[in-house]
Amino acid sequence: MTNPRADRVREVARLAQRSARARRRQFLAEGPQAVREALRLDADRRDRGAAAVVDDVYASAEFLARHPEIADLAERTGRLRLADDAVLAAMADTVSPQGIVAVCRLLDVSLEEVLAPGPSLVAVMCRVQDPGNAGTILRAADSAGADAVVLTAGSVDVYNPKAVRSTAGSLFHVPVVLGQDPSVLAERLRAAGVGILAADGTGPLDLDELQDASAARRSRVGGAAPDVPEASAGYRLEEPTAWLFGNEAQGLSDEEKELADHRVAVPLYGAAESLNVGTAATVCLYASARSQRRSAPAG
Amino acid sequence: MTNPRADRVREVARLAQRSARARRRQFLAEGPQAVREALRLDADRRDRGAAAVVDDVYASAEFLARHPEIADLAERTGRLRLADDAVLAAMADTVSPQGIVAVCRLLDVSLEEVLAPGPSLVAVMCRVQDPGNAGTILRAADSAGADAVVLTAGSVDVYNPKAVRSTAGSLFHVPVVLGQDPSVLAERLRAAGVGILAADGTGPLDLDELQDASAARRSRVGGAAPDVPEASAGYRLEEPTAWLFGNEAQGLSDEEKELADHRVAVPLYGAAESLNVGTAATVCLYASARSQRRSAPAG
């Protein structure tokens, strides 16, 4: 493909718009990392006879020569087309396109699908607006081994090109649930045995206290019934947990906070007034992951 | 001030350029949070008879009416001028200026100043390029109570308007040292009794193991000589530590890694290949802060 004004090129470029993505149930992955992860998931699904993820791949000959593993995966889809740099630039959202784009099918799943196997760790974004923050939180959730990421109604579209880029491929690793009503979500999480913690800088519980209480229980496994330090309010960080993270400007609303079992603050040791939501989410999710994994039976 | 083309307005706007900042030894803080923190630091320094931080403040009458605390601080500098929105827009780097900007003096200090009192926790950015990442790491360092942030030569300018915004005021809380040569820095840190850890996804040590070893020592205070689990290689996370964080695309160079006592990986529990540098820095700095503070004598 050499004509950047071709209809097909325009159609791909239009996936930068939320309305086009919603109508066609497709979005765009750009660059080697995102496209490779999309292709890996696609290959994995095809092997299992499940629905495809990647509908089309466009790449330059030069890119494919430089990335044989991605070229091989792309070939296997049967949907790879060569495109020159002008075409790729017209398709992509980034100023400097990186030689490959893939048109992918929307990946989000239902809340039921995520809750059925009994998740241990869930990240919930409540009206997070910045695509970079949403992508960073999704990537941190993947890194911490979260079982799912949920976005409430009114959040940024996770298929926004900047959000997709910020996930660095994690969008293709972690199941994502979109458009949830917070109170229905809280009810369902609880029914599935998942506790709910609100990340809230003004919360009465301190994340370090929760971690200490968890560590104290760990060090007494097989011994006497563990003391639960009062500061943890009885919440066990090692148990299945969904964390609520709020809007970057306003934080969690009062209504959102009330849905949680507890409001937990990440301690601020310096003079900073607050953490950004991506940073707070990282600390909270890693604290849970650490408590859960260190408490699990070895092996 | 009502003329957005006035010489003074152009001079302020020019502080968006690194060369102008370096020549005039000034930079621009924009918006209520950054300017308030600049003014607080300025008031604190003036009270102590130290050099001023804020040279000039420009704000709209409407902004000052809405923010009486900031208006009061700004008045006390004797350098507050009223400016209308067109002037503020011409001065500021952001598309939607927030009613106030302050011309500040460069704040960075010498390495000697930072090392003299014996720092416990230092964040070192090695050739970090993205201003948003640099700001996020500086804010995370402040949150974790770090004593200083050091940038090596070839790093982004921390006075870049986007970096300043991303620090959310933390630039005015934590001493910053710029332009360091990595090997000289490592030597000085070691001479000051500060251990050096490289945050490196491929590192042989696992941050969780270091934390476990630290917690195990804590739980045996006053008892038998503590066992040091082998996986921690004898490094004590509760001791004074400088963390090295690498360039976002390439990570730490081999030379940078060799300057560290140990290379430490943040565990990846999911399918993510790596953490972004801001996220990794947050997890590492909080792990150190937690180990250090939990080990410190109570009170």
Side-chain angles (χ1 to χ4, degrees), chain A residues 36-127:
Chain A
R36 187 190 59 221
E37 298 310 297
L39 289 167
R40 283 182 178 164
L41 177 62
D42 188 70
D44 183 53
R45 288 221 193 158
R46 285 176 201 249
D47 288 350
R48 299 196 327 253
V53 173
V54 175
D55 280 334
D56 293 291
V57 187
Y58 303 92
S60 69
E62 195 217 333
F63 177 91
L64 295 170
R66 270 188 295 126
H67 296 86
E69 188 214 353
I70 300 176
D72 183 53
L73 284 164
E75 284 285 2
R76 287 174 56 195
T77 63
R79 310 299 297 259
L80 172 63
R81 280 153 212 259
L82 286 180
D84 67 18
D85 284 342
V87 165
L88 291 167
M91 286 176 168
D93 179 70
T94 38
V95 184
S96 45
Q98 300 167 280
I100 192 163
V101 304
V103 175
C104 302
R105 296 193 199 165
L106 302 193
L107 295 162
D108 50 285
V109 297
S110 70
L111 186 59
E112 286 64 37
E113 249 177 278
V114 154
L115 295 182
S120 297
L121 184 56
V122 177
V124 181
M125 298 187 222
C126 297
R127 299 169 302 113

Side-chain angles (χ1 to χ4, degrees), chain A residues 3-297:
Chain A
N3 177 8
R5 291 204 189 77
D7 282 352
R8 179 184 288 267
V9 176
R10 283 175 204 233
E11 261 178 43
V12 172
R14 228 168 268 139
L15 292 175
Q17 298 161 21
R18 189 169 190 159
S19 58
R21 293 194 294 270
R23 196 173 57 245
R24 283 156 45 193
R25 304 279 307 154
Q26 290 180 321
F27 72 104
L28 202 59
E30 304 173 30
Q33 191 174 31
V35 174
R36 187 190 59 221
E37 298 310 297
L39 289 167
R40 283 182 178 164
L41 177 62
D42 188 70
D44 183 53
R45 288 221 193 158
R46 285 176 201 249
D47 288 350
R48 299 196 327 253
V53 173
V54 175
D55 280 334
D56 293 291
V57 187
Y58 303 92
S60 69
E62 195 217 333
F63 177 91
L64 295 170
R66 270 188 295 126
H67 296 86
E69 188 214 353
I70 300 176
D72 183 53
L73 284 164
E75 284 285 2
R76 287 174 56 195
T77 63
R79 310 299 297 259
L80 172 63
R81 280 153 212 259
L82 286 180
D84 67 18
D85 284 342
V87 165
L88 291 167
M91 286 176 168
D93 179 70
T94 38
V95 184
S96 45
Q98 300 167 280
I100 192 163
V101 304
V103 175
C104 302
R105 296 193 199 165
L106 302 193
L107 295 162
D108 50 285
V109 297
S110 70
L111 186 59
E112 286 64 37
E113 249 177 278
V114 154
L115 295 182
S120 297
L121 184 56
V122 177
V124 181
M125 298 187 222
C126 297
R127 299 169 302 113
V128 167
Q129 293 302 304
D130 179 74
N133 282 339
T136 300
I137 293 171
L138 207 158
R139 185 174 175 188
D142 181 19
S143 304
D147 300 292
V149 171
V150 179
L151 288 87
T152 67
S155 300
V156 67
D157 185 9
V158 79
Y159 300 114
N160 166 303
K162 192 177 171 206
V164 174
R165 272 199 299 284
S166 303
T167 73
S170 288
L171 180 58
F172 301 102
H173 301 154
V174 190
V176 175
V177 181
L178 301 181
Q180 295 300 296
D181 174 87
S183 56
V184 174
L185 171 66
E187 214 171 276
R188 298 270 178 86
L189 284 166
R190 246 181 223 113
V194 179
I196 304 175
L197 296 179
D200 174 11
T202 68
L205 293 195
D206 176 302
L207 185 65
D208 272 358
E209 303 284 352
L210 287 182
Q211 290 191 83
D212 282 351
S214 174
R217 280 188 294 274
R218 224 152 54 216
S219 66
R220 283 169 210 168
V221 167
D227 299 350
V228 176
E230 210 160 328
S232 74
Y235 194 90
R236 293 165 170 262
L237 210 53
E238 58 272 34
E239 296 193 350
T241 298
W243 279 99
L244 309 185
F245 305 114
N247 172 276
E248 36 275 275
Q250 303 135 24
L252 290 165
S253 69
D254 290 343
E255 293 73 25
E256 288 160 349
K257 288 178 191 172
E258 274 170 25
L259 298 173
D261 299 323
H262 297 285
R263 295 183 294 119
V264 179
V266 175
L268 292 169
Y269 295 121
E273 281 170 82
S274 64
L275 290 166
N276 83 29
V277 63
T279 303
T282 301
V283 175
C284 292
L285 292 169
Y286 262 91
S288 281
R290 196 171 132 72
S291 292
Q292 292 178 352
R293 283 160 197 265
R294 297 278 142 175
S295 301

Side-chain angles (χ1 to χ4, degrees), chain B residues 27-246:
Chain B
F27 70 105
L28 202 58
E30 304 174 27
Q33 191 174 31
V35 175
R36 187 190 56 221
E37 297 311 298
L39 288 167
R40 283 182 178 164
L41 177 62
D42 188 71
D44 182 54
R45 289 221 192 155
R46 285 177 200 251
D47 288 350
R48 299 194 328 253
V53 173
V54 175
D55 279 334
D56 292 292
V57 187
Y58 304 92
S60 69
E62 195 216 332
F63 177 92
L64 296 170
R66 269 186 296 125
H67 296 88
E69 188 215 354
I70 300 176
D72 183 54
L73 285 164
E75 285 284 2
R76 286 175 56 194
T77 63
R79 308 299 296 259
L80 172 62
R81 281 154 211 258
L82 286 180
D84 67 18
D85 285 341
V87 166
L88 292 167
M91 286 175 168
D93 179 70
T94 38
V95 184
S96 45
Q98 300 168 280
I100 192 162
V101 304
V103 175
C104 302
R105 295 193 201 164
L106 301 194
L107 296 161
D108 50 283
V109 297
S110 70
L111 186 58
E112 287 62 37
E113 248 177 278
V114 155
L115 294 182
S120 298
L121 184 57
V122 178
V124 181
M125 298 188 224
C126 297
R127 299 170 302 112
V128 167
Q129 292 303 303
D130 179 75
N133 283 339
T136 299
I137 293 172
L138 207 158
R139 184 174 175 188
D142 181 19
S143 304
D147 300 293
V149 171
V150 180
L151 287 87
T152 66
S155 300
V156 67
D157 185 10
V158 78
Y159 300 113
N160 165 304
K162 191 175 172 205
V164 175
R165 273 200 299 283
S166 301
T167 72
S170 289
L171 180 58
F172 302 100
H173 302 154
V174 190
V176 175
V177 180
L178 301 182
Q180 295 301 297
D181 173 87
S183 55
V184 174
L185 171 67
E187 213 171 279
R188 299 269 178 87
L189 283 166
R190 247 182 224 112
V194 179
I196 304 176
L197 296 179
D200 174 10
T202 68
L205 293 194
D206 176 302
L207 185 65
D208 273 358
E209 304 283 353
L210 287 181
Q211 291 191 81
D212 283 351
S214 174
R217 280 189 293 275
R218 223 149 58 213
S219 66
R220 283 170 211 168
V221 166
D227 299 350
V228 176
E230 209 160 327
S232 75
Y235 194 90
R236 293 166 171 263
L237 210 52
E238 58 271 34
E239 295 192 350
T241 298
W243 279 98
L244 309 185
F245 306 114

Side-chain angles (χ1 to χ4, degrees), chain B residues 14-24 26 154-158 178:
Chain B
R14 227 169 268 138
L15 292 174
Q17 296 161 23
R18 188 169 190 159
S19 57
R21 293 193 293 270
R23 194 172 59 245
R24 283 154 49 192
Q26 290 179 322
S155 300
V156 67
D157 185 10
V158 78
L178 301 182

